[in-house]
Amino acid sequence: MHTSLAPHHTLSSDDPWTVAVIGSGPRGISVLERMALRLAQSPPSVPVAIHLIDAIEVGCGRIWRTDQPVHLLMNTVADEISMFSGPPEPGEGSRPGAGPSLAQWWQQHATGFQGPNSYAPRALYGRYLHFVLESIEASLPEQVTLVRRQQRVIRLRGDGAGGYQLELGDGSGMAAHRVVLTTGHAQPRLTGQSLDFRRFASRRPHLRYVSAGPAAEMRLDKLPGGSPVGVIGLGLTFYDVMAALTVGRGGQFKETADGELRYEASGDEPRLFAGSRSGMLMPGRGVNHKPLDEVYAPAVFTEQRVELLKAGPRLDFVRDVFPWLRAEMDLVSTLAHNRLSACSAQREHFVHAVALAARRACPDIAVLANRHGLIPMAAPDLDALALPFGRRAFAGPDHFHRALREVVEADLREADLGNVASPRKAALDVLRDVRWLICKLVDFAALTPSSHEQDFLGWYAQRSAFLVSGPPRIRLRQALALIDSGVLTVLGPDTRFAVDETRDCFVGHSGSVEGSSVLLESVIDARVPPTDVRLDDSPMMADLYARGVVQPYRNVWDPSHGPEEGFETGGVAVTHTPYHPLPATGEADRGICVLGIPTEHTRWFMTVGGRRPGFWSQFDQDADDVAMSVLVGARVPDPVSAHAGQ
């Protein structure tokens, strides 16, 4: 069995059918799991070698690396994620197609389990991914070999004979018949203000700039205790940075007798000055009160409605799509508001009437609620939730912090009610439940170019991510405790960070808060780096882009419909499943599949890090389609059921 091939080795009939999977995070593991299931169900007619390649940690990848501290948490509850494409089988061990969810594995194989709705450390999810990989490897047929390579791929090139040459970071190389790119989050090349900040700090030994990326990779240990540090962004990475520079520095959060959270400083913490355009801490997700096996069935924004919308001309998201989505949110908000005051039969009749009305036109939920004796409760306005301070002006930092506390505490009360009882959180959960339907309407330029760029990516995708993908509720309570302790200052809305050549430092201030200006020794960019193949700094992707093998997806009008209008999304241009890259020549490279985050904006919500246990999802379908594609040369018959094994 060949496990290593010379850099210029040309594949021959004596070599096994070789597949290289580059990137071993959840997407790479999902493809490997479906490959293993297909190979187990229908053993190949030739030897197969699968090379799993990752520059950071083979088995879990960069984001879920197992050496990161335990205070860095997931933002999905443990019971809602699995990497097996089917549930465990009673009395059987784990294998591809049948294995435990993260919560089930955590309870049985690790410490610290706090219940199915708890949030696991990211490092623990990395250990779970390793468990999945070991289960996969143990199930492989005798003629199939898995080779793990902890290497960076420097170059990927066609060999002129239908195969590919991979040059690795240690100078070695290998050949493959098929290649899967599941490379995950990129480290983009710095541009604009980020580059200016890096250059400014590099010329001044007393200043530091930490660029955007996973908190586990940030050199936060270089920030002196007591020094003023600016933090750009108030989203998920902000909470990671906050935890790393407090709990990670020896501080402790303690519950008081009245249930409040108090922070006991270690004295080694920097002073944090954080801000964003909104000035709002990313809201927490509502407590999950839905049964694990519950599947939300939309009454307004249905699959049938989506198909009707798709059948027409290209869509304007705000005009054609969002009203239906908004009506679905209004329906769920109204149901939550009347949960205790109306009987189940009354609520069922109301939902039935809404569904009937939605077959003809977008229904007015308030009118129908009144007809059925229910009290209408409109879903919250997304802009009002994401931008709660609007154009308010504040007399000083204390004035703003009082307003921020009011908003955050109100959000926590709603989150504590949960995603069934709280009208707000129940309505926002709709946006999670119907993501797969939204994808059907926005993937592969189903929207007009201007609506795709401005309405969807520039508005809805940002609002949805901020309001729906929130952190554990404890993070907001911790932030309030840090504000009380003086360790954290949220500067306010319209926060700006800049360099001050005269005073030889960074500065931060909010345009809405009087007296908020502060001099800073360090700045951390806590925003999520954008997906943009044009800026991908990895040698392999930079080379593929330079040679035109991959290019950004471009949403354009059909020129026959008038003047060409369009924009480049930044995501890799790919075909429909199994997602072959579309090079500048326009002819797909059918020996390569690109899946997950590199294709974000070509397709939507590629950041998902796993599947929901017990349900066949697009995450599974993507992995299975890619698995079938790359195994074609191994002459693996297509199993009777794509969901088998399962």
Side-chain angles (χ1 to χ4, degrees):
M1 181 65 59
H2 296 266
T3 60
S4 179
L5 298 171
H8 302 292
H9 176 90
T10 300
L11 292 164
S12 72
S13 58
D14 294 329
D15 291 310
W17 180 259
T18 304
V19 178
V21 179
I22 304 174
S24 68
R27 287 287 187 175
I29 296 296
S30 71
V31 171
L32 187 61
E33 194 249 10
R34 295 307 297 178
M35 289 174 66
L37 181 57
R38 285 179 169 274
L39 289 164
Q41 291 178 332
S42 303
S45 56
V46 298
V48 174
I50 304 169
H51 294 247
L52 187 61
I53 308 170
D54 199 288
I56 303 299
E57 185 174 348
V58 178
C60 62
R62 175 185 176 210
I63 302 300
W64 310 106
R65 56 195 301 169
T66 58
D67 62 352
Q68 59 190 303
V70 295
H71 54 251
L72 299 179
L73 304 178
M74 302 180 71
N75 66 311
T76 301
V77 296
D79 210 26
E80 291 185 351
I81 195 164
S82 177
M83 281 303 304
F84 290 97
S85 55
E89 296 177 344
E92 299 290 335
S94 300
R95 61 170 178 79
S101 68
L102 171 60
Q104 292 167 329
W105 175 86
W106 186 4
Q107 187 173 16
Q108 297 169 9
H109 299 285
T111 60
F113 182 68
Q114 299 174 5
N117 285 319
S118 56
Y119 294 84
R122 290 202 189 113
L124 187 77
Y125 189 49
R127 289 171 54 195
Y128 171 72
L129 290 169
H130 276 283
F131 166 78
V132 176
L133 177 58
E134 289 161 6
S135 300
I136 291 169
E137 187 168 20
S139 76
L140 293 174
E142 184 177 350
Q143 66 271 44
V144 179
T145 300
L146 176 66
V147 182
R148 307 184 192 205
R149 290 175 173 266
Q150 187 168 329
Q151 289 287 336
R152 180 183 298 275
V153 179
I154 303 300
R155 287 183 180 82
L156 166 64
R157 301 195 174 216
D159 64 5
Y164 298 89
Q165 296 286 335
L166 284 73
E167 180 183 333
L168 306 181
D170 64 355
S172 66
M174 61 165 287
H177 294 91
R178 294 292 183 267
V179 177
V180 180
L181 299 182
T182 49
T183 49
H185 287 282
Q187 190 65 49
R189 186 172 67 255
L190 296 184
T191 60
Q193 187 187 59
S194 300
L195 182 59
D196 293 341
F197 281 5
R198 168 62 58 81
R199 289 172 173 168
F200 184 73
S202 68
R203 298 191 296 267
R204 294 163 175 81
H206 63 290
L207 300 183
R208 294 163 185 82
Y209 171 66
V210 181
S211 59
E217 295 181 356
M218 293 180 176
R219 298 298 302 274
L220 301 178
D221 57 319
K222 301 297 182 182
L223 306 180
S227 66
V229 174
V231 184
I232 307 174
L234 294 171
L236 290 173
T237 306
F238 159 75
Y239 289 110
D240 290 342
V241 169
M242 180 188 83
L245 293 176
T246 54
V247 177
R249 292 287 182 99
Q252 293 183 340
F253 291 97
K254 293 192 174 179
E255 197 97 23
T256 64
D258 58 0
E260 295 296 316
L261 208 60
R262 179 169 55 86
Y263 182 66
E264 294 186 356
S266 68
D268 195 29
E269 303 91 344
R271 290 177 293 131
L272 304 179
F273 297 87
S276 65
R277 285 175 294 177
S278 72
M280 176 59 187
L281 294 166
M282 188 178 195
R285 187 184 170 197
V287 177
N288 180 44
H289 290 149
K290 296 178 180 179
L292 182 61
D293 59 354
E294 178 180 301
V295 178
Y296 180 70
V300 179
F301 192 70
T302 62
E303 190 166 8
Q304 293 78 13
R305 176 55 54 187
V306 166
E307 292 302 324
L308 286 172
L309 289 170
K310 283 179 61 179
R314 293 178 70 179
L315 300 165
D316 180 291
F317 184 80
V318 169
R319 183 192 66 209
D320 301 323
V321 179
F322 190 69
W324 297 90
L325 184 56
R326 174 75 196 199
E328 191 74 46
M329 295 174 66
D330 287 344
L331 168 64
V332 171
S333 180
T334 297
L335 288 171
H337 185 64
N338 292 270
R339 187 174 63 94
L340 300 178
S341 60
C343 67
S344 59
Q346 188 179 7
R347 296 196 303 272
E348 288 172 6
H349 289 152
F350 167 56
V351 173
H352 181 66
V354 168
L356 286 177
R359 295 179 186 176
R360 299 184 296 272
C362 191
D364 187 322
I365 301 300
V367 169
L368 291 170
N370 285 322
R371 287 179 186 170
H372 286 78
L374 303 181
I375 301 171
M377 174 59 72
D381 180 85
L382 300 186
D383 287 339
L385 287 182
L387 306 168
F389 308 112
R391 298 186 179 182
R392 289 177 62 185
F394 298 91
D398 288 343
H399 183 203
F400 172 68
H401 279 157
R402 286 194 298 272
L404 177 64
R405 176 177 287 278
E406 288 178 5
V407 174
V408 171
E409 288 181 343
D411 179 75
L412 282 170
R413 287 192 294 271
E414 295 292 329
D416 287 342
L417 285 174
N419 58 3
V420 174
S422 163
R424 177 192 298 185
K425 296 300 182 180
L428 290 175
D429 237 34
V430 169
L431 304 185
R432 292 169 54 89
D433 291 332
V434 301
R435 276 176 182 150
W436 66 284
L437 289 170
I438 296 173
C439 289
K440 286 177 174 286
L441 289 175
V442 302
D443 290 358
F444 297 105
L447 301 176
T448 66
S450 60
S451 187
H452 187 188
E453 181 178 22
Q454 298 166 20
D455 301 333
F456 188 74
L457 297 179
W459 175 67
Y460 178 79
Q462 295 181 22
R463 295 288 182 268
S464 174
F466 187 73
L467 296 172
V468 178
S469 304
R473 302 181 316 288
I474 188 63
R475 289 300 197 217
L476 281 87
R477 297 183 63 210
Q478 290 173 345
L480 292 179
L482 290 171
I483 291 172
D484 291 341
S485 73
V487 172
L488 171 65
T489 297
V490 178
L491 293 174
D494 193 29
T495 292
R496 308 287 184 186
F497 293 93
V499 301
D500 189 320
E501 298 272 1
T502 303
R503 289 180 282 192
D504 215 28
C505 64
F506 294 107
V507 294
H509 80 283
S510 164
S512 302
V513 181
E514 191 73 26
S516 62
S517 294
V518 61
L519 306 183
L520 304 166
E521 294 178 10
S522 306
V523 169
I524 302 167
D525 192 339
R527 297 169 296 185
V528 176
T531 296
D532 194 334
V533 67
R534 297 164 296 189
L535 301 177
D536 194 324
D537 211 26
S538 71
M540 179 189 72
M541 292 301 289
D543 179 66
L544 290 174
Y545 175 62
R547 293 188 293 111
V549 178
V550 298
Q551 62 175 337
Y553 187 79
R554 184 171 175 80
N555 184 343
V556 296
W557 279 109
D558 183 336
S560 66
H561 292 170
E564 183 173 342
E565 169 205 6
F567 78 106
E568 289 186 345
T569 67
V572 174
V574 292
T575 65
H576 289 257
T577 186
Y579 313 116
H580 301 304
L582 285 167
T585 60
E587 185 174 345
D589 188 331
R590 301 195 178 278
I592 301 176
C593 297
V594 188
L595 186 60
I597 291 172
T599 65
E600 183 69 33
H601 307 323
T602 307
R603 305 171 66 205
W604 182 53
F605 203 66
M606 294 292 97
T607 55
V608 60
R611 60 185 300 279
R612 185 177 172 188
F615 299 93
W616 184 262
S617 67
Q618 190 62 49
F619 185 87
D620 300 294
Q621 192 63 57
D622 286 350
D624 195 59
D625 289 346
V626 170
M628 182 169 63
S629 172
V630 297
L631 288 175
V632 63
R635 296 189 288 279
V636 178
D638 192 19
V640 174
S641 170
H643 301 194
Q646 254 208 300

